């Protein structure tokens, strides 16, 4: 890992939750494309991720990045069964809103809006927080995702009960837990490695 700490000078640093396409900049030097070996490209999984400073920083440990990315893709893109993509993105948004990760919340709120066509409700979650009234089913999904994010060891039977009352199957409940838990971890990683930048 690099020992060079970057202190970016950022004008109009984002300080509110938004669905706009904001950026992110690292506090440690990411790799450049010229430094990538076959091992690094394999770690990126998708070559297009070489354009992201976040993934190019994580590429310093390519095996871990590859495992992280394949897990991410399986949780959010493997929707042949279980929870719809919109609900998985809602869980990621709720976790990001709870953790205060403005960048992750912007990305996954856009996905939640796109897949659900409920842009105003998603924005209400960003503006008002996880107590926003989004309707019974989404309230349950947000509440459980937030509870798992705040204190994972206290997550339990009452939270599962909320999801069962909304008719979620075992597989759908597992999908929600995976989506919220993954972003509970991903937010903390991203918040510790850099900060958001304004939309261009």
């Amino acid at each position: 890992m690099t020992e060079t700490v970057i202190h970016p000078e950022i004008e109009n640093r984002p300080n509110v939750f938004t669905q706009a396409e904001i950026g992110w900049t690292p506090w440690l030097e990411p790799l450049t494309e010229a430094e990538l070996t076959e091992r690094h490209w394999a770690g990126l999984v998708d070559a297009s991720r070489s354009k992201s400073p976040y993934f190019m920083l994580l590429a310093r440990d390519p095996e871990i990045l590859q495992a992280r990315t394949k897990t991410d893709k399986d949780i959010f893109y493997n929707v042949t069964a279980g929870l719809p993509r919109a609900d998985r993105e809602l869980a990621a948004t709720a976790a990001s809103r709870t953790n205060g990760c403005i960048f992750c919340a912007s990305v996954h709120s856009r996905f939640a809006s796109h897949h659900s066509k409920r842009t105003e409700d998603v924005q209400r979650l960003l503006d008002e927080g996880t107590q926003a009234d989004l309707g019974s089913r989404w309230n349950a999904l947000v509440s459980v995702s937030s509870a798992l994010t705040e204190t994972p060891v206290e997550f339990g039977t009452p939270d599962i009960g909320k999801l069962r009352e909304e008719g979620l199957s075992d597989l759908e409940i597992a999908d929600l837990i995976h989506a919220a838990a993954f972003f509970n971890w991903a937010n903390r990683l991203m918040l510790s490695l850099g900060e958001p930048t304004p939309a261009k």
Side-chain angles (χ1 to χ4, degrees):
M1 183 58 79
T2 176
E3 295 181 358
T4 304
V5 177
I6 302 169
H7 301 280
E9 294 183 10
I10 303 171
E11 292 186 12
N12 302 315
R13 180 177 278 115
N15 57 15
V16 295
F17 290 95
T18 175
Q19 295 186 55
E21 288 190 43
I22 61 175
W24 182 89
T25 191
W27 293 327
L28 297 171
E29 199 66 47
L31 295 176
T32 65
E33 285 197 24
E35 295 175 285
L36 298 182
T37 65
E38 287 187 19
R39 186 170 149 247
H40 294 113
W41 285 111
L44 287 167
V45 180
D46 295 329
S48 63
R49 294 186 178 215
S50 67
K51 306 304 179 193
S52 161
Y54 177 64
F55 291 115
M56 290 298 270
L57 178 58
L58 298 186
R60 290 186 175 280
D61 194 337
E63 286 76 22
I64 297 296
L65 172 59
Q66 185 178 59
R68 171 244 173 261
T69 301
K70 288 182 175 179
T71 301
D72 180 2
K73 284 177 162 290
D74 198 42
I75 291 172
F76 289 95
Y77 294 84
N78 183 4
V79 292
T80 53
L83 208 60
R85 174 79 183 274
D87 293 344
R88 300 179 197 207
E89 297 294 348
L90 181 70
T93 303
S96 301
R97 181 63 175 81
T98 301
N99 280 330
C101 188
I102 291 175
F103 179 81
C104 293
S106 74
V107 172
H108 293 279
S109 64
R110 285 196 305 277
F111 283 135
S113 287
H114 172 77
H115 290 286
S116 70
K117 310 304 181 196
R118 294 177 59 178
T119 302
E120 291 183 4
D121 285 334
V122 173
Q123 189 60 45
R124 191 172 301 118
L125 169 60
L126 295 179
D127 292 341
E128 300 175 18
T130 56
Q131 299 302 314
D133 184 4
L134 308 174
S136 179
R137 188 173 190 278
W138 269 26
N139 285 348
L141 300 183
V142 168
S143 172
V144 168
S145 298
S146 180
L148 183 60
T149 301
E150 288 178 354
T151 314
V153 294
E154 293 183 7
F155 177 86
T157 304
D159 299 298
I160 299 297
K162 289 180 185 178
L163 300 176
R164 293 215 184 282
E165 288 174 8
E166 296 299 328
L168 270 69
S169 67
D170 287 350
L171 181 57
E172 290 170 326
I173 291 171
D175 285 336
L176 184 78
I177 290 171
H178 292 148
F182 184 85
F183 265 86
N184 195 0
W185 167 79
N187 292 159
R188 286 167 167 79
L189 181 63
M190 196 152 216
L191 287 167
S192 66
L193 293 175
E195 59 191 299
T197 57
K200 294 182 180 176

